[in-house]
Amino acid sequence: MSNVTTINPFEVPAGKKELALKIYDKFAAYFSAQPGYVSTKLYQELGEDSKFHLVSVSTWESSKHFVAALQKPELEEIAKDMPEDIKTYPSLYKIIRS
């Protein structure tokens, strides 16, 4: 089975990028310690008018590993610090062409 990719774009209100990065770092530390985690890269927009200001792209050994990581109580503890106005849209993807 090939790896899967999680792409998670973030909408970050003006003035909250540093807060978003601090919270992202907590999520990244959690996910990187989970079974099946392979790697993550965080991208930042170059323009001011982008809808998504940060985009996280993670690779996992399987969707089962990612889903299992989402179901642990430790993640809820981290997620409670996420302000409502910082929105994320995580989804799993697989490569269909290259």
Side-chain angles (χ1 to χ4, degrees):
M1 178 184 277
S2 62
N3 291 342
V4 296
T5 301
T6 303
I7 300 175
N8 189 4
F10 292 69
E11 281 186 83
V12 182
K16 291 205 172 177
K17 193 172 282 184
E18 287 305 314
L19 175 60
L21 288 170
K22 285 180 184 177
I23 293 169
Y24 168 83
D25 288 341
K26 290 179 184 180
F27 278 104
Y30 167 78
F31 282 116
S32 67
Q34 300 307 305
Y37 170 84
V38 177
S39 66
T40 299
K41 291 185 180 173
L42 180 64
Y43 297 85
Q44 179 178 316
E45 64 162 336
L46 294 178
E48 293 295 317
D49 58 349
S50 297
K51 177 175 176 123
F52 301 116
H53 305 95
L54 301 170
V55 177
S56 172
V57 179
S58 302
T59 302
W60 290 80
E61 290 177 11
S62 72
S63 59
K64 288 181 183 181
H65 284 103
F66 178 68
V67 170
L70 290 176
Q71 296 174 348
K72 294 186 178 178
E74 299 92 343
L75 185 60
E76 285 184 39
E77 200 54 36
I78 297 166
K80 74 176 184 173
D81 293 333
M82 180 69 86
E84 288 184 21
D85 58 350
I86 297 177
K87 300 192 184 321
T88 64
Y89 304 90
S91 295
L92 276 171
Y93 295 86
K94 65 180 181 179
I95 296 173
I96 60 169
R97 291 191 177 98
S98 63

